[in-house]
Amino acid sequence: MNSVQTAILDANTGWVILALFSLLWIWLGWFFGRKTKDLEGYTLAGRNVGLALGAATAMATWMTSNTTMAAPQLAYQLGIWGILGYSLGSVGLMLFAPLARRIRELMPNGFTSGDFIRRRYGNLTWRVFLLISLVYAIGWLVSLGMAGGVLIHALTGIDYRIGMSVILFICVAYTLLGGLRAVIGTDFIQALLILVGVSILAWLVITRVGFDAMHTTLATERPELLNLLMPAAIMFLFNNLLFGIGEIFHSNVWWSRAFAFRQGVGFRAYLLAGLLWLPVPIVAGFVALAAPALGLNVPSADMVGPMVAAELLGMGGAVLVFIVVFSALASSLDSLLAATSDLVLRDVYKGHLKPDASPEHLYKAARWVVLGLGLFTWLLCLPRLATLAAVLHFMGAFVASTIWPIVAGLYWKRASTTGATLAMVLGTAAGLWGYFAIGFYVAALISAFVSMLVVVLARRASSRPFDWNSLRQEVR
Amino acid sequence: MIAGQAFLSLVVLIALAVTMAAPLILAILWIRDWKQRQLW
C-alpha cells in the first residue's frame, strides 16, 4: 500500500508544523542549557531535578510514537485487552520507583547503569550488560528514527528519508545544545501537548459518536474486539508487562534520571509518572474503536487513530494528531540520545578507551558523542532495515534477561557475579530460542524465567557478601 | 465473554478523567517547585 494515499495532511502544512516545532525545540534546548558549565550539569542536569519535571520527563519518555499510534492499532486488532495490556507498560515505571530511590541512596555520585554493574559485579558482567544495553539502545533509537520517517510520510506524504532526517536533526540539535536539561525541559512541554491532544480526541469520539453507537456497531461487526477472553490478547498482556519491566530496569534512560533527580524525588516521580501514564494508551486506543461506527475503511491498522481524528475534526484533527505524534517521538528520541550518549561516554570511551580522561575533557567529548550517535542512527535509519515491531520484539529476549541481575544486585548482598553474567547470557539465548521456535510473544517471558532461575540458584552457591559502602564512593 | 457497554464506558471515562487531570497535576507541581526554587 502506498501510504501517501492515507496522508491526512498536505505536505505544505506538514512542513509548516515541522518548521515551527524545530525552531521552538531548538531554541528551548539552548535556553534550558545556557547556564550549564560542567559535565554533571550537561549529562545529569546538576542532579537536582524536582518532582514536576521529574514525573513529566519519565512519563513523556515512556509515551513513544507506539503509545499514540500502536495503542489504537492494538485496539483495532486485539480489542479491549489490547489497550489494557498496553497500559500495563506503566507497571514498569511504578516498579522502578523503589529502585530509583535505592539507586540514589547506594550511588549518590553514580553516572550510568553501567557504573553500577561494573562496581557491583565486576568487568565481565559489565561488558555483557553493556553489549545488551547498547544493542537495545541502538535498536530503540533506530526504531524511533524509522518511526519518525514512516509516520511523517504516512501523515503528510513527506518522503521517508526527509522526514526521518528532520526529526533526528531536531532532537540531536537541542540535546547537543542543552544536554539533559534541554531533554527534561522539552519533555515537560511535550507531555502536556500529548495529554491535551489525546484527551481532546477521546472527548470528541464520546460526544460525536457515543458509547451506544460504538458498542452496538462493535458487537455486530467486530465482536471479537469486545471479547474479554481473547487468547492472543491475554498472551500479549503478560509479554508486554515483562518486556516493559526489562526495558525500564536495565536502560540508562531511567537510571540517568534516577541519578539526576534531587534526593527524595525519584520514588515519587516514577510512581506518579506510572499512575499518570497508565490511562493514556486506553484513551488513545479507545479512539480506534470508533472506526466501525464511523464506517471507516481502514487500509492499514496503524493508521486507524489518525483516520478517526481526521474524520471527526477534519484538518484540525489531522494537525492535532501530527503534533501529538511529533511530540511523542521527540520526547523519547531526545531522552534516548542523551542517555545512550552518557553510556557511550562513561562506559565505552572513559571505561575502555581513555580511563584517565578528566571531567573537563569528558564535558567536551559529551557533545561529540551526541553528534556521533545521531549521525550513526541516521545512517542506520536510511535503508529502512526492518519494521518497527520486529526490531522491538527482538529486543524482548535481551532486556528481560537483565531484570533479575539488576534487582538482585540492588537488594541482595550475596547476589553472585558469575550468576549475573550467566543469567544474562543464558536468559538472552533462551529468549531468542523462544522467539524463533515459538513466537515473539514468549521471548521476554522465557528470557526472564531462565534469568531468574540462574540468579536464584547462583545465590545459594555464593559465599562472599557485598559491601554496599563500596558503591557510595566517588566514581573514578 | 463480551464486554458490556457499561464496562467499556466506565473504563474509558475513568481513563479519560485521569488523562485530563494529568496536565493540571503537572502544572500545579511545576508552580509549587518553581515557587520553592526546586525546578532543577
Side-chain angles (χ1 to χ4, degrees):
Chain A
M1 187 200 68
N2 182 358
S3 48
V4 178
Q5 290 166 4
T6 69
I8 55 173
L9 270 180
D10 67 277
N12 288 337
T13 315
W15 275 117
V16 171
I17 299 172
L18 277 177
L20 289 176
F21 275 96
S22 305
L23 290 174
L24 176 69
W25 299 139
I26 292 172
W27 180 78
L28 283 172
W30 167 81
F31 179 77
F32 290 137
R34 71 196 188 284
K35 289 178 184 167
T36 300
K37 296 282 181 277
D38 58 14
L39 184 66
E40 286 204 2
Y42 190 74
T43 60
L44 294 173
R47 298 186 193 273
N48 217 18
V49 176
L51 181 59
L53 292 173
T57 187
M59 199 183 165
T61 301
W62 205 219
M63 286 193 286
T64 66
S65 52
N66 261 1
T67 320
T68 49
M69 292 291 279
Q73 179 183 350
L74 282 166
Y76 198 66
Q77 290 171 331
L78 297 175
I80 287 185
W81 275 128
I83 44 178
L84 291 179
Y86 203 99
S87 74
L88 285 187
S90 65
V91 173
L93 281 178
M94 289 188 256
L95 289 180
F96 195 70
L99 268 64
R101 179 165 59 194
R102 180 82 174 153
I103 290 165
R104 193 74 162 84
E105 278 169 12
L106 287 179
M107 297 181 73
N109 303 304
F111 275 92
T112 63
S113 52
D115 265 347
F116 168 76
I117 296 289
R118 178 175 57 79
R119 293 164 75 187
R120 177 66 182 83
Y121 288 126
N123 284 349
L124 179 63
T125 320
W126 174 46
R127 287 181 180 127
V128 173
F129 174 82
L130 210 52
L131 189 68
I132 292 176
S133 217
L134 287 173
V135 168
Y136 165 79
I138 300 291
W140 194 15
L141 265 174
V142 170
S143 73
L144 279 173
M146 279 166 49
V150 170
L151 291 174
I152 290 173
H153 176 63
L155 294 171
T156 65
I158 293 172
D159 181 69
Y160 163 82
R161 288 183 183 200
I162 298 174
M164 179 274 292
S165 305
V166 168
I167 188 141
L168 262 177
F169 169 78
I170 296 167
C171 292
V172 169
Y174 72 77
T175 306
L176 193 70
L177 285 170
L180 192 61
R181 280 202 178 94
V183 170
I184 289 177
T186 50
D187 275 359
F188 186 86
I189 301 167
Q190 286 154 355
L192 297 185
L193 285 173
I194 298 167
L195 290 165
V196 171
V198 166
S199 298
I200 291 174
L201 284 179
W203 182 253
L204 280 170
V205 167
I206 293 172
T207 52
R208 295 200 185 170
V209 182
F211 287 114
D212 197 23
M214 279 176 74
H215 192 268
T216 311
T217 321
L218 281 173
T220 318
E221 293 178 16
R222 303 280 307 273
E224 73 277 11
L225 298 185
L226 294 170
N227 187 358
L228 291 175
L229 295 173
M230 193 181 193
I234 294 171
M235 191 85 85
F236 165 79
L237 187 145
F238 284 108
N239 196 65
N240 201 44
L241 181 69
L242 273 174
F243 194 167
I245 294 172
E247 282 184 279
I248 291 181
F249 277 24
H250 93 283
S251 171
N252 196 49
V253 168
W254 314 100
W255 280 72
S256 64
R257 280 163 174 71
F259 293 127
F261 294 166
R262 178 181 300 121
Q263 190 81 36
V265 164
F267 181 86
R268 288 178 295 149
Y270 275 106
L271 190 64
L272 183 62
L275 289 171
L276 297 183
W277 189 93
L278 190 142
V280 177
I282 299 176
V283 174
F286 159 74
V287 170
L289 296 180
L294 288 168
L296 289 177
N297 179 23
V298 182
S300 155
D302 58 353
M303 285 304 292
V304 63
M307 286 184 70
V308 171
E311 176 73 15
L312 287 174
L313 263 178
M315 178 77 160
V319 171
L320 192 65
V321 167
F322 190 60
I323 291 172
V324 167
V325 170
F326 187 72
S327 302
L329 274 168
S331 65
S332 305
L333 245 177
D334 61 2
S335 300
L336 198 55
L337 261 175
T340 311
S341 300
D342 289 357
L343 207 60
V344 172
L345 183 74
R346 301 285 319 183
D347 294 81
V348 178
Y349 183 67
K350 181 173 163 62
H352 287 88
L353 302 174
K354 210 168 170 62
D356 299 327
S358 66
E360 292 73 27
H361 175 84
L362 290 175
Y363 178 45
K364 284 178 192 158
R367 291 169 197 266
W368 286 105
V369 174
V370 172
L371 197 62
L373 191 63
L375 195 64
F376 183 60
T377 307
W378 179 75
L379 285 172
L380 288 179
C381 287
L382 270 180
R384 276 180 86 166
L385 284 174
T387 67
L388 170 70
V391 172
L392 283 178
H393 289 151
F394 198 72
M395 297 296 160
F398 287 83
V399 299
S401 76
T402 63
I403 297 174
W404 294 101
I406 295 265
V407 175
L410 282 168
Y411 290 98
W412 289 355
K413 274 190 173 183
R414 289 184 187 277
S416 143
T417 296
T418 316
T421 314
L422 280 177
M424 288 191 264
V425 173
L426 296 177
T428 301
L432 286 176
W433 171 82
Y435 179 93
F436 291 111
I438 304 170
F440 78 88
Y441 47 87
V442 292
L445 215 63
I446 292 177
S447 170
F449 180 72
V450 169
S451 165
M452 180 186 73
L453 277 185
V454 176
V455 168
V456 171
L457 289 175
R459 187 199 185 196
R460 290 171 179 268
S462 169
S463 56
R464 205 156 44 99
F466 183 76
D467 175 17
W468 296 121
N469 283 324
S470 64
L471 291 173
R472 292 196 174 89
Q473 293 154 10
E474 285 277 343
V475 181
R476 64 180 167 82
Chain B
M1 192 167 76
I2 297 293
Q5 190 188 323
F7 175 79
L8 181 68
S9 317
L10 188 69
V11 169
V12 171
L13 285 176
I14 291 173
L16 183 58
V18 179
T19 308
M20 285 173 138
L24 288 176
I25 294 169
L26 290 175
I28 291 166
L29 287 174
W30 191 92
I31 293 167
R32 191 201 64 167
D33 283 354
W34 179 68
K35 278 185 177 170
Q36 296 175 351
R37 295 175 180 275
Q38 289 190 340
L39 272 179
W40 54 26

